[in-house]
Amino acid sequence: MRIYLKGLRIYATIPRIKDANKLAKYYTETNKELGIDVTLDKISAKEFIKTAIVNFNSMKEFHFGIYTKNHKFIGLFSIIQPNYSKRICEIGYWIAKKYREKKYGEDAIKIITDFAFKTLKMKKIFAFVNTNNKASIRLLKSAQFKKTHTSLKSATAFEKTGTHISTYVLHLAIYSDTKV
Ligand SMILES: CC(C)(COP(=O)(O)OP(=O)(O)OC[C@H]1O[C@@H](n2cnc3c(N)ncnc32)[C@H](O)[C@@H]1OP(=O)(O)O)[C@@H](O)C(=O)NCCC(=O)NCCS
């Protein structure tokens, strides 16, 4: 069964195989921008999606494609390394460059954190970000994430030479407070 998370401007669901081309293009572009030397071609993007379906169903990790209301694939928001006993997880995310600064990111982070707290019953959600990544830090702050320290090691963040990684956390209690 396919899960759909509905936001104000976008919806989130497992990326569709037919969007493998766009996933490859946008993922490669975004990594290049971030100085990460990892690329994806159409064939590996298809494999990525197939694995994402298996991992989603076994609750190992959750890769959500982000779609506009008219079904354009625009990015990926992921819940990774969920620890169901400690009730913690990490999120990673990107929106393709041409769709940025339209509040799609803010919308997406809300529905993804909502899913992590309400469906996965997480207590804390961590995010790791380069200290020079202003957009990502603004996005986290807009979603009430606070700077913190953790022994959890990021599964996604790569430290570029000359930059540092900061850790942010969103606590269930803070999230619940902002909902009332
Ligand atoms: C981070 C990212 C997902 C934000 O997505 P987005 O759809 O553009 O974000 P939104 O339009 O919802 O804006 C979210 C907040 O970030 C701010 N913002 C967006 N782009 C910005 C930029 N280039 N510089 C500074 N602030 C920026 C917005 O003003 C907004 O803040 P506000 O609520 O205080 O006004 C997007 O910039 C991105 O994919 N970046 C490259 C990948 C990346 O850095 N991933 C995170 C790795 S840790």
Side-chain angles (χ1 to χ4, degrees):
M1 197 186 66
R2 187 172 266 281
I3 288 182
Y4 288 90
L5 307 178
K6 288 196 180 114
L8 217 56
R9 303 167 186 84
I10 49 92
Y11 68 90
T13 190
I14 299 178
R16 299 188 177 96
I17 297 278
K18 71 177 177 63
D19 294 314
N21 238 347
K22 282 188 178 157
L23 171 64
K25 181 173 183 279
Y26 297 156
Y27 180 87
T28 301
E29 277 172 10
T30 305
N31 274 350
K32 197 171 174 190
E33 210 185 312
L34 296 176
I36 299 167
D37 194 19
V38 181
T39 61
L40 204 60
D41 60 21
K42 191 181 173 182
I43 294 168
S44 25
K46 269 191 184 166
E47 287 311 311
F48 174 91
I49 295 171
K50 285 181 193 164
T51 308
I53 295 167
V54 173
N55 287 345
F56 200 108
N57 292 334
S58 62
M59 297 180 70
K60 194 174 166 197
E61 60 183 11
F62 305 84
H63 292 290
F64 284 98
I66 305 301
Y67 288 85
T68 61
K69 294 281 179 186
N70 54 356
H71 313 296
K72 276 193 188 135
F73 172 78
I74 61 164
L76 199 71
F77 272 59
S78 308
I79 297 172
I80 45 186
Q81 45 174 348
N83 183 322
Y84 296 103
S85 49
K86 289 187 180 164
R87 296 172 64 187
I88 59 173
C89 63
E90 177 185 355
I91 55 165
Y93 45 83
W94 54 265
I95 295 284
K97 196 163 189 167
K98 65 176 176 179
Y99 296 105
R100 289 188 200 152
E101 296 191 61
K102 297 178 193 305
K103 300 285 175 193
Y104 290 145
E106 269 186 34
D107 220 6
I109 203 166
K110 273 191 200 122
I111 57 177
I112 268 46
T113 50
D114 205 53
F115 176 81
F117 286 134
K118 289 190 181 152
T119 306
L120 305 181
K121 308 289 179 207
M122 293 293 149
K123 269 188 183 164
K124 287 182 193 174
I125 304 170
F126 290 96
F128 299 87
V129 54
N130 262 311
T131 48
N132 64 358
N133 192 337
K134 290 195 179 73
S136 185
I137 291 169
R138 288 275 291 268
L139 177 68
L140 291 170
K141 286 184 175 168
S142 78
Q144 306 296 318
F145 277 74
K146 309 282 180 228
K147 212 167 172 185
T148 188
H149 292 283
T150 174
S151 56
L152 183 70
K153 290 277 170 274
S154 170
T156 57
F158 298 87
E159 203 165 339
K160 247 196 316 184
T161 321
T163 61
H164 296 284
I165 303 283
S166 292
T167 311
Y168 283 79
V169 68
L170 180 61
H171 287 262
L172 174 62
I174 290 175
Y175 166 83
S176 308
D177 283 352
T178 58
K179 287 272 155 180
V180 288

